[in-house]
């Protein structure tokens, strides 16, 4: 069996769960996680990278399992003090989390590329996987709604995903290029597989694929690309994926997820609950439990991904 390295494409919580499963079952130093840049934004003078930070905190064992974002065991003195001053408090930043944003912003201002900062911070937190953004340049998801275009965090956090979506734009993507570490990981001739984690296709994975050269580098990789569907039993496990699919006129189904990714993904894993859907797929499908509630669930799904890759 190929025991080479693995590349995972991830958004926030859904993606980070499988990234953690892969991290646990693979040898150290053999996982690269390419993170969604589209949720990043500048707030309170700081660069915030929510999805990369969720992956970082999850792999470092520091994540807040209750909120799904930020660090566990946080204190909120900064936020309370800011609110008392009349500052913007709709986007919650815990005191420990704040240190990451301050340090990242300082290094970016000094001219360090985002991918270096992200990789370096991961190492400082003891993570032996490479965590990198899809690109160093700013790519910003904006959400098209009947009332106009909304910056992603205004749609997602401030407006709680309530506006109807009619489409998405990834501003800045046209001028971006994949960061060197992402391209190097994808070009490794010993690559074992590329994993498209069960993340939101529209707002977590598409911004990664929108970076010119990224989809081609994935297609050209010397390894199969395995997708894990984020849809289970006609619903999203969490978040607005199913709502967005309905609003965009798509079926909330595994098959619609397969169609969305087209030839970027070579084979799929869908949930055991949806075994009947396998017959409608164009590409190979493996049926497996995909709900990742425990550490064991994550590791089992990660092994299923690696087994499917080995069979292709
Ligand atoms: P976000 O950026 O925090 O919204 O996280 P992602 O985009 O990475 O993940 C959101 C997607 O993950 C949603 O579509 C969920 O349905 C899916 N998801 C979350 N947890 C699981 C899980 O345990 N299994 C599967 N199959 N999908 C999941």
């Amino acid at each position: 069996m190929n025991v080479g390295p693995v590349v995972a494409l991830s958004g926030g919580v859904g993606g980070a769960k499988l990234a953690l499963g892969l991290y646990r079952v693979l040898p150290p130093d053999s996982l690269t996680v390419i993170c969604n840049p589209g949720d990043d934004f500048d707030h309170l003078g700081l660069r915030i990278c929510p999805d990369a930070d969720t992956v970082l905190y999850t792999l470092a064992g520091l994540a807040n399992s209750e909120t799904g974002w930020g660090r566990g065991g946080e204190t909120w003195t900064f936020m309370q003090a800011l609110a008392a001053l009349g500052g913007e408090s709709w986007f919650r930043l815990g005191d420990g989390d704040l240190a990451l944003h301050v340090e990242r912003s300082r290094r970016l201002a000094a001219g360090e590329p985002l991918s270096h900062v992200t990789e370096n911070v991961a190492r400082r937190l003891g993570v032996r996987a490479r965590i990198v953004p899809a690109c160093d340049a700013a790519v910003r998801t904006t959400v098209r709604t009947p009332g106009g275009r909304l910056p992603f965090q205004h749609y997602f956090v401030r407006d709680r995903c309530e506006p109807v979506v009619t489409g998405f734009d990834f501003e800045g993507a046209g001028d971006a290029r994949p960061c060197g570490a992402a391209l190097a990981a994808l070009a490794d001739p010993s690559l074992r597989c590329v994993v498209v984690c069960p993340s939101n296709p529209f707002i977590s994975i598409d911004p990664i694929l929108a970076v010119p050269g990224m989809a081609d580098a994935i297609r050209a990789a010397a390894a199969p690309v395995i997708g894990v569907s984020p849809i289970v039993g006609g619903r999203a496990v969490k978040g607005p994926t199913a709502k967005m699919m309905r609003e965009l006129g798509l079926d909330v189904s595994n098959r619609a997820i397969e169609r969305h990714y087209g030839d970027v993904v070579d084979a799929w894993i869908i949930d055991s609950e949806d075994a009947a859907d396998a017959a409608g797929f164009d590409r190979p499908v493996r049926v497996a439990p995909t709900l990742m509630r425990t550490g064991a669930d994550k590791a089992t799904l990660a092994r299923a991904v690696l087994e499917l890759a080995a069979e292709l």
Side-chain angles (χ1 to χ4, degrees):
M1 195 204 268
N2 179 348
V3 292
V6 170
V7 173
L9 273 49
S10 177
V13 176
K17 286 198 273 183
L18 183 55
L20 180 60
L22 290 163
Y23 184 53
R24 294 246 169 91
V25 305
L26 289 166
D29 305 310
S30 48
L31 176 66
T32 298
V33 187
I34 302 178
C35 299
N36 171 29
D39 291 16
D40 295 3
F41 72 130
D42 291 307
H43 184 59
L44 306 174
L46 301 171
R47 175 69 51 82
I48 319 273
C49 303
D51 279 1
D53 292 352
T54 294
V55 172
L56 174 71
Y57 289 146
T58 300
L59 267 51
L62 296 171
N64 185 329
S65 54
E66 275 148 45
T67 56
W69 49 266
R71 296 171 72 124
E74 269 290 14
T75 54
W76 299 94
T77 306
F78 167 76
M79 223 59 236
Q80 286 155 6
L82 182 68
L85 297 174
E88 274 189 73
S89 56
W90 58 272
F91 195 89
R92 313 263 308 142
L93 296 171
D95 297 333
D97 189 27
L98 187 60
L100 172 56
H101 310 309
V102 169
E103 176 60 6
R104 174 168 46 219
S105 304
R106 182 190 71 75
R107 293 197 204 175
L108 290 174
E112 210 177 312
L114 179 62
S115 54
H116 290 198
V117 180
T118 312
E119 265 198 89
N120 179 261
V121 165
R123 267 199 303 277
R124 297 285 304 201
L125 294 180
V127 177
R128 293 186 65 186
R130 271 190 151 175
I131 302 176
V132 293
C135 52
D136 287 315
V139 170
R140 300 288 176 262
T141 300
T142 55
V143 183
R144 288 192 222 153
T145 78
R149 283 152 40 103
L150 291 171
F152 179 74
Q153 295 299 346
H154 287 79
Y155 163 81
F156 197 75
V157 177
R158 193 195 63 188
D159 298 348
R160 297 179 299 278
C161 306
E162 282 162 10
V164 169
V165 305
T166 56
F168 304 91
D169 296 296
F170 307 116
E171 285 175 11
D175 300 324
R177 59 182 306 279
C179 76
L183 284 180
L186 288 166
D188 188 326
S190 66
L191 193 66
R192 185 167 176 176
C193 65
V194 180
V195 186
V196 178
C197 289
S199 288
N200 186 309
F202 311 105
I203 54 174
S204 289
I205 303 295
D206 283 357
I208 299 175
L209 298 176
V211 176
M214 185 65 86
D216 286 343
I218 292 168
R219 286 192 195 94
V225 183
I226 311 293
V228 177
S229 177
I231 293 296
V232 176
R235 290 180 303 277
V237 179
K238 173 195 148 292
T241 305
K243 176 178 181 285
M244 288 176 173
M245 291 179 88
R246 279 191 295 274
E247 290 168 356
L248 294 169
L250 300 170
D251 284 344
V252 184
S253 69
N254 290 300
R255 180 69 184 96
I257 298 287
E258 184 199 24
R259 259 190 244 119
H260 178 81
Y261 285 109
D263 69 353
V264 171
V265 175
D266 298 317
W268 282 94
I269 296 194
I270 62 172
D271 193 76
S272 312
E273 187 181 324
D274 298 326
D277 293 357
F281 269 64
D282 293 330
R283 293 165 187 79
V285 185
R286 159 80 55 99
V287 173
T290 71
L291 278 181
M292 296 173 281
R293 293 195 189 89
T294 64
D297 295 342
K298 294 172 188 126
T300 303
L301 181 55
R303 281 195 206 94
V305 168
L306 299 175
E307 277 165 25
L308 176 57
E311 283 169 19
L312 292 172

